Amino acid sequence: MRWLLAGYCGLALINVSVALNQALMVTQKPRFYGMKTGRSVGIYCLHSPLHLAARVQWYKAHEYDVDVEKRRKIQAEQRIEIRNKNLTEGAYLYIHDLRIEDNGVYFCKINKTWGSGTELQVARPVNLTQALYRTKMKDGLIILQGLLLAVCIAAILLRKQTLLEKRDSIYEEPETDHIYEGLAIETCGGGLYEELSVYAQAEGAEAPWE
């Protein structure tokens, strides 16, 4: 009888040891949240087997691939609520009154095992009136820039044309040829045509001064 009891006790110890050494599986739900500011969000972390005692901790990082050492531990505060921290059930992380700075990836850590992570993206609600106003302002600025560019191009072309016309006027040829201007013909004390008859006598005739 004693040997039988000892056998049962041995089997029980073996089962407990196997259960304690069983690999811990950690699951997070959901994997992604897209929320607006001012809302609340909850992240669920579940581990298996559930009968194992576990301690849950929550961490935050900017990206999935951030090193474990750079993940920042999250503590419960006014907007952050952590439930079932030391129980053997699943744990919850609640974030109330969401803000832009709450963007990031949240990891749960049970004992020494990390969860897969839950990404949270927080965006401000869109004001349709303001969005339309900004769109019109942007279109107006684009049109104004186009007009200014056209005016600049026209001014440059006009300036270039003016310089070309000025350069052509400098090298313009005179309308009247004044090559012989200022050339004086000496006269011999009388009319030009009357004296020509004297110098035009036939060869061999005596000159009047001879």
Side-chain angles (χ1 to χ4, degrees):
M1 187 65 180
R2 294 177 180 178
W3 292 104
L4 184 60
L5 291 175
Y8 281 121
C9 290
L11 290 175
L13 291 174
I14 292 173
N15 290 332
V16 171
S17 178
V18 170
L20 291 175
N21 293 327
Q22 186 176 354
L24 189 65
M25 301 296 295
V26 179
T27 305
Q28 283 188 229
K29 295 180 181 180
R31 297 296 305 277
F32 176 80
Y33 265 121
M35 304 292 292
K36 296 181 179 179
T37 55
R39 302 288 184 87
S40 297
V41 67
I43 302 175
Y44 177 62
C45 183
L46 176 66
H47 66 91
S48 61
L50 291 177
H51 63 276
L52 290 177
R55 178 179 177 84
V56 181
Q57 295 176 324
W58 291 91
Y59 291 81
K60 179 184 176 182
H62 295 293
E63 298 177 352
Y64 277 103
D65 299 333
V66 173
D67 296 335
V68 175
E69 294 78 9
K70 296 182 180 179
R71 296 177 182 177
R72 180 174 58 85
K73 187 176 180 180
I74 300 175
Q75 302 291 347
E77 56 183 49
Q78 183 177 1
R79 296 191 305 111
I80 298 178
E81 180 183 0
I82 299 177
R83 295 183 182 179
N84 298 340
K85 184 175 181 180
N86 296 314
L87 301 180
T88 57
E89 303 174 358
Y92 290 87
L93 172 67
Y94 290 98
I95 305 176
H96 305 284
D97 189 19
L98 288 173
R99 303 172 183 175
I100 298 298
E101 55 266 26
D102 293 327
N103 284 326
V105 182
Y106 294 82
F107 297 90
C108 69
K109 181 182 179 183
I110 300 180
N111 295 342
K112 295 182 179 180
T113 305
W114 290 91
S116 54
T118 298
E119 183 178 1
L120 174 62
Q121 291 186 2
V122 183
R124 292 186 178 89
V126 178
N127 189 321
L128 184 58
T129 303
Q130 292 183 356
L132 291 175
Y133 175 76
R134 292 174 182 175
T135 301
K136 291 180 180 179
M137 287 293 294
K138 185 176 180 181
D139 294 340
L141 291 175
I142 292 174
I143 294 174
L144 180 60
Q145 289 177 355
L147 293 175
L148 291 176
L149 181 61
V151 170
C152 293
I153 293 175
I156 293 173
L157 293 177
L158 181 61
R159 175 65 177 172
K160 186 176 181 181
Q161 183 179 1
T162 304
L163 292 176
L164 290 175
E165 292 177 354
K166 184 177 181 181
R167 187 180 64 181
D168 293 341
S169 64
I170 294 175
Y171 296 100
E172 185 177 1
E173 296 182 359
E175 298 180 357
T176 307
D177 192 359
H178 301 284
I179 296 177
Y180 300 101
E181 184 177 358
L183 180 63
I185 301 177
E186 296 182 358
T187 62
C188 297
L192 175 61
Y193 296 100
E194 291 78 3
E195 299 298 332
L196 286 176
S197 59
V198 177
Y199 298 102
Q201 293 180 0
E203 185 178 355
E206 294 183 357
W209 54 82
E210 292 181 356

